[in-house]
Amino acid sequence: MEKCLVFCFSFITLFICVKCSLPPPCDSEIYCSGPILHHMQEAKLFKDDKHFVDMKLKSPPGEVLAAFQTLLNEWPNSSIPTEKLQEFLEANFDKPGTEFETWMPTDWQEKPRFLSGIADEKLRLWAEQIHGLWKSLGRKIQTSVKDHPELYSQIFTPHPVVVPGGRFRELYYWDSYWVINGLILSEMTETAYGMIQNFLFLVERYGFVPNGGRVYYERRSQPPFLPLMVESYYGATGNRQFLRAALPVLETEYRFWMQNRSVTVTVTGSEHVLNRFKVDADLPRPESYTDDLELAEGLSDEVRRRLFVDLKAGAESGWDFTSRWFINASGQNDGTLRDTRTSQILPADLNALLCRNERLLASFHRLLGEILTSDLHLAFSSQLLLHED
Ligand SMILES: *[C@@H]1O[C@H](CO)[C@@H](O)[C@H](O)[C@H]1NC(C)=O
Ligand SMILES: *[C@@H]1O[C@H](CO)[C@@H](O)[C@H](O)[C@H]1NC(C)=O
Ligand SMILES: *[C@@H]1O[C@H](CO)[C@@H](O)[C@H](O)[C@H]1NC(C)=O
């Protein structure tokens, strides 16, 4: 277990003491912590740190860890030559991307109706090209990921996903809101349905939606757009049965944001529960391991840990990264990436989103005839508004 860290901070009217012994980004001793991750990333075998943590294990983690221990014993000063690391990697890992089957969305069609509504020819061609992207961004995860999750960093989800593309070869939370709206415009409601089912599946498993579909994202989320995804889908299909099944899961996610991502502030005598991004996980982000280590160089132990936590909170915000989260030593919004203090800010956009979600949940309950729960959510949403009487 990591050494315990105690720190206090104050910001505006917040005054909070946190005593923490934080867990790593995930429990895997290969993908999220431990000597293999450290040596492989420090050796910079690939241009992008995400490459290594997306590789599949060829044998069970225990065996791979034991084999690496042998290597460490051979090189006690821990200066394992790069060729040895390379050899180890080839013997024990497969390249990224092997966990997918090729998959074509079954509901894709050449000419969805929206295209004929675009008068400008250049714009219409552009829209057609974007519509064509669905064919190359769809992915289906092999069932072997479900049967042997310990061999993969990829998190199994039962339905096909549309990925952002490039180095982002897994689903992402808030990106998917716009993807789903695009799919609906392309009349691909079946694919949109599957994506939403995946997110509901993740909430049932984790209690919230992880940042993305990898184990190294499993202790952080992203701006909560799941209720809006459900709204978009319901708006397109009017499927009440879908809404009824989704609603308890949306409530679970909502509880996560209210219990695990909130603070109570007192303004002119009245209390308000407001939300923030905050990730309770230590260590550098596995997928940006050396970036985080280099950024933290020369900082004290305590400040370094705090930075690792706030960089993850920055990733959770979806704004990774931005000067919005820079707070310098005198508490001013001025500084550099090293001054990232995401968890010390109550972002207006996140709070507006939570307010929107409360009103949405209220309207879903009302639609399904659950008036009492509906009123409760409305009461909460008005509590969020600092200046409402
Ligand atoms: C580390 O140990 C290995 C094997 O004992 C040796 O060959 C190598 O020169 C050592 N490197 C350093 C920097 O001491
Ligand atoms: C939220 O916080 C509670 C209480 O601190 C904790 O027991 C729970 O595990 C947290 N949930 C998640 C999903 O992190
Ligand atoms: C923080 O930023 C403010 C505003 O630019 C500046 O006046 C102050 O000197 C800075 N403090 C530190 C410790 O850098």
Side-chain angles (χ1 to χ4, degrees), residues 20-31:
C20 40
S21 166
L22 295 178
C26 76
D27 292 332
S28 163
E29 288 173 56
I30 290 176
Y31 293 117

Side-chain angles (χ1 to χ4, degrees), residues 59-95:
S59 34
E63 284 175 29
V64 177
L65 282 164
F68 197 75
Q69 193 52 53
T70 309
L71 201 60
L72 281 173
N73 294 344
E74 252 178 80
W75 304 87
N77 56 13
S78 109
S79 65
I80 308 172
T82 307
E83 317 86 74
K84 290 279 170 194
L85 288 174
Q86 197 81 54
E87 262 172 44
F88 182 87
L89 201 69
E90 270 154 38
N92 292 286
F93 291 86
D94 282 329
K95 65 181 198 315

Side-chain angles (χ1 to χ4, degrees), residues 282-296:
D282 199 1
L283 304 180
R285 290 169 298 151
E287 80 285 9
S288 302
Y289 196 88
T290 54
D291 287 339
D292 287 4
L293 276 186
E294 282 160 23
L295 185 68

Side-chain angles (χ1 to χ4, degrees), residues 203 205-208 218-219 255-256 259-261 280:
V203 173
R205 174 164 173 196
Y206 293 100
F208 65 97
E218 76 183 19
R219 294 210 161 101
R255 270 196 303 279
F256 166 80
Q259 284 169 10
N260 301 63
R261 296 292 188 269
D280 295 320

Side-chain angles (χ1 to χ4, degrees), residues 118-253:
I118 303 174
D120 184 282
E121 197 184 327
K122 262 192 200 154
L123 283 179
R124 192 171 58 248
L125 277 173
W126 181 60
E128 255 176 65
Q129 281 168 6
I130 292 175
H131 172 68
L133 287 177
W134 302 135
K135 290 194 289 183
S136 57
L137 292 174
R139 302 278 186 279
K140 184 162 173 33
I141 302 173
Q142 289 174 9
T143 50
S144 56
V145 179
K146 182 185 178 185
D147 297 337
H148 291 285
E150 72 281 6
L151 300 181
Y152 299 87
S153 63
Q154 181 85 229
I155 297 170
F156 179 77
T157 46
H159 297 271
V161 298
V162 172
V163 302
R167 67 193 285 262
F168 300 116
R169 26 177 125 74
E170 52 278 316
L171 64 80
Y172 280 84
Y173 184 12
W174 79 325
D175 306 57
S176 296
Y177 173 59
W178 292 280
V179 167
I180 284 166
N181 281 336
L183 288 170
I184 288 171
L185 198 59
S186 288
E187 296 166 45
M188 295 169 67
T189 46
E190 211 177 303
T191 302
Y193 175 84
M195 287 188 71
I196 298 173
Q197 290 301 320
N198 284 337
F199 289 118
L200 297 172
F201 170 89
L202 290 169
V203 173
E204 287 185 320
R205 174 164 173 196
Y206 293 100
F208 65 97
V209 182
N211 183 146
R214 294 276 174 183
V215 292
Y216 49 77
Y217 292 142
E218 76 183 19
R219 294 210 161 101
R220 64 190 210 226
S221 190
Q222 252 187 343
F225 273 90
L226 184 53
L228 281 92
M229 294 176 192
V230 168
E231 179 193 37
S232 294
Y233 182 80
Y234 181 76
T237 63
N239 185 341
R240 284 169 81 92
Q241 208 181 338
F242 160 83
L243 190 63
R244 194 176 293 280
L247 194 47
V249 190
L250 297 183
E251 291 282 359
T252 301
E253 194 210 18

